[in-house]
Amino acid sequence: MTARRDEVAIIGAGMAGCLAACFLARRGYPVALYERRPDPRTGTAERGRSINLALSERGLDALRRIGLADQVMADALPMRGRMIHPVEGEPQFQSYSAAGDRAINSISRGALNNALLDAAAALPGVRVVFDHRLVGLDPADGSMSFDTPQGPVAAKASVVLGADGAGSAVRGQLLAHGLLRESVDFLDYGYKELTIPPLGGDFALDEDALHIWPRGTSMMIALPNPDRSFTCTLFWPNEGAGSFAALDDPAAIRAHFAEQYPDLVPLAPTLVDDYQHNPVGVLGTVRSTPWQVNGTVGLIGDAAHAIVPFYGQGANCAFEDVVELDRCLDECADEWTAALPLFQRRRQENAEAIAQMALTNFVEMRDKVASPVFQARRRVEHALERALPGRYVSQYELVSFSTTPYAEVRRRVRRQHRVLGAVAAGAALLLAGAVTAVLNRGRRA
């Protein structure tokens, strides 16, 4: 940190970009943090685009490393399990952990972004530049072109990191130069936000849970906010029966919610207005390769590997990217030409693993959580975790409450299932043998 380092440009002052700026400034790098939008701390959040975050151990691990975890957690609301809302009957609580003591944390996306932005901007050597939209990038020498309200701006950096989200301009530039391949797989589903305000000055629902209304081919979730409201998110098909396209007038909206989400209707006085005026967001998985070119341009977070939000791991995974990049810089003595390829080798398998788990969890959340078979399986898993502490650990526990690499989580869970399958098969054989012996004795008698 005593040697003078060249400036690193980070494109995107979202959560991953701000966190990366904090880590790099700590390493002694001057950092230019470019953001296409105005300063979010001085404006009004875009309506219906907040999707609360479920911050868990991977994200907290990153925040602890820069001393920000306590500040962020001061406004967090722990959710210790899922509250399942059927169409009829009482909601049922499903604990996330065997002991009921583990929780994921509901965090405002905007508040977390602002906290990270404040932390980055306060560090020596970090300059944050808003209203700069990247329109040109030469990967050979780090030359950049920006559109700004004042006209075109040119800049240059020794290293350019794209932390600008699923629609990354940096990734787009690499694609235009023929240096990268990408695939974007959109779901036939979108999302729309609704609001449940406080009721009598308090939470209208249990604040210790992530609420889910599973409806087979669609669902709604709700996460608590510090102001005692809930942010609800509909995940519905874009077309067909029960889709966003199928509901277009107030009477139809009210009738549909009264039929499918009857307990929501009296709690959401702005339901129709929210539904009609909040936008429908897209859901998809982004895959790209390579994540870096020549050790001078790299991608992190959603810019490299956006995932669907159904495991609550998007931001957690991006934060873990930053931690791993910092580790690679350590191991490579800050030689970016070595560190960026190493970063990709270590993270790409893990990014693909959580992308697949997130897609699978969508089916679980919308369709299986209300099933008695699923609930029985969860009870068995929790019983095994209590009986075999540290030896049997559920996939959810490993993903949300540890920093075990995502790819290793999948391998471990498969091993556990194979062992349990073998044990169950052995028990069945023993039982069959015992029954046969009893029957044979009966015949001889």
Side-chain angles (χ1 to χ4, degrees), residues 83-86 89-93 211 263:
M83 187 70 77
I84 310 303
H85 294 251
E90 293 299 313
Q92 296 180 330
F93 181 76
H211 295 259
D263 58 340

Side-chain angles (χ1 to χ4, degrees), residues 167-229:
S168 171
V170 176
R171 192 179 73 247
Q173 288 292 317
L174 296 179
L175 189 65
H177 281 84
L179 299 171
L180 174 146
R181 301 185 306 279
E182 72 169 14
S183 68
V184 183
D185 299 321
F186 290 109
L187 295 183
D188 295 328
Y189 283 75
Y191 71 87
K192 183 190 286 281
E193 290 191 357
L194 309 173
T195 300
I196 296 177
L199 183 64
D202 205 351
F203 289 100
L205 301 169
D206 186 339
E207 72 271 23
D208 294 325
L210 187 154
H211 295 259
I212 306 178
W213 288 256
R215 297 298 182 261
T217 58
S218 63
M219 69 173 182
M220 181 176 72
I221 67 172
L223 277 72
N225 298 309
D227 66 359
R228 291 179 165 75
S229 68

Side-chain angles (χ1 to χ4, degrees), residues 23-86:
F23 271 75
L24 290 175
R26 189 178 62 170
R27 300 187 70 86
Y29 285 96
V31 177
L33 188 55
Y34 294 98
E35 172 56 47
R36 65 179 178 83
R37 296 167 296 185
D39 189 338
R41 297 167 297 182
T42 61
T44 302
E46 186 179 357
R47 178 169 180 164
R49 293 290 194 191
S50 66
I51 293 190
N52 291 48
L53 298 173
L55 188 66
S56 53
E57 179 56 29
R58 296 169 198 270
L60 288 170
D61 175 64
L63 294 174
R64 289 187 200 106
R65 293 168 186 262
I66 58 169
L68 209 58
D70 289 345
Q71 176 186 331
V72 168
M73 287 297 291
D75 290 325
L77 291 167
M79 300 178 294
R80 303 188 185 281
R82 299 164 168 170
M83 187 70 77
I84 310 303
H85 294 251

